[in-house]
Amino acid sequence: MVAYFSQAHWATRDRLIPAGFMAFAAYLGVLTYFFSPSGPAIVDGAVPISDFLCFWLAGGEVMHGRPGVVYDNSAFLALQTPYLEAGAFYPFFYPPTFLLLVAPLGMMAAIPAYAVSQAVSLALAGAACARILRNWTGFLLIAAMPASFNAMFHGQNALLCAALLGGGLAALGGRRQILEGILLGQLHIK
């Protein structure tokens, strides 16, 4: 059985491209349903209850000139309380430089901010994979992966981290050390 999968004769281009499109379409449908105004992930029609909540609220605090609030757990919990059930909390575990990336999210309503952050992260991860594979199907590979769907569903920054790592590795292979250093250096967010 292991030999069958390791040889991957079944993983042909004519199978992977349609499968990638179908998986991406299915994931997009599920995300659209869950995060639609009447979907189960929305509270009071405004905020997706996911890991994204801490990024969106942190961006809002930066835009209001109060970035320190995100590192004060009791104050940050107070901001989240209207959106969460009792006992839930999404702390902000990231360095202050990450606030620069989430600040623009604070200028948008929750749903558009969520959609923009996940679409940009997916596009960057897809571009990095396409660059590594030297083929546009890298976008499909990233879009079709269940891990990508999971990261998008929960509003995590895993695709952004994958884009930074993949972009850094692609730059390393292309002998562009400065770009490599910048991209890999941005992984300090983890």
Side-chain angles (χ1 to χ4, degrees):
M1 185 68 151
V2 172
Y4 176 76
F5 285 107
S6 66
Q7 293 173 358
H9 295 295
W10 54 271
T12 61
R13 186 176 174 93
D14 62 321
R15 289 181 180 167
L16 292 178
I17 290 175
F21 277 118
M22 287 186 289
F24 180 66
Y27 296 158
L28 191 57
V30 169
L31 288 172
T32 300
Y33 164 70
F34 269 89
F35 293 106
S36 68
S38 61
I42 304 300
V43 172
D44 296 329
V47 179
I49 301 304
S50 65
D51 294 352
F52 181 74
L53 179 65
C54 81
F55 301 142
W56 179 66
L57 290 174
E61 290 306 296
V62 170
M63 296 312 296
H64 289 102
R66 301 182 300 258
V69 168
V70 303
Y71 297 108
D72 178 349
N73 283 345
S74 59
F76 203 44
L77 174 60
L79 285 175
Q80 294 181 18
T81 299
Y83 307 109
L84 301 175
E85 58 190 45
F89 178 52
Y90 291 99
F92 191 82
F93 292 121
Y94 304 93
T97 52
F98 190 57
L99 290 172
L100 296 172
L101 291 177
V102 298
L105 302 175
M107 295 188 293
M108 297 180 243
I111 301 302
Y114 166 82
V116 166
S117 72
Q118 296 309 301
V120 167
S121 295
L122 180 65
L124 291 173
C129 188
R131 177 78 175 145
I132 290 169
L133 295 176
R134 295 184 177 108
N135 190 318
W136 68 271
T137 56
F139 280 101
L140 284 178
L141 182 62
I142 291 295
M145 288 177 41
S148 296
F149 171 75
N150 187 53
M152 289 187 303
F153 182 79
H154 292 289
Q156 298 170 341
N157 62 10
L159 287 171
L160 176 62
C161 292
L164 292 170
L165 180 59
L169 293 175
L172 174 67
R175 305 255 187 243
R176 294 177 292 186
Q177 290 85 6
I178 294 173
L179 179 59
E180 169 205 346
I182 290 170
L183 293 173
L184 294 178
Q186 294 308 308
L187 284 172
H188 75 285
I189 64 174
K190 284 298 193 183

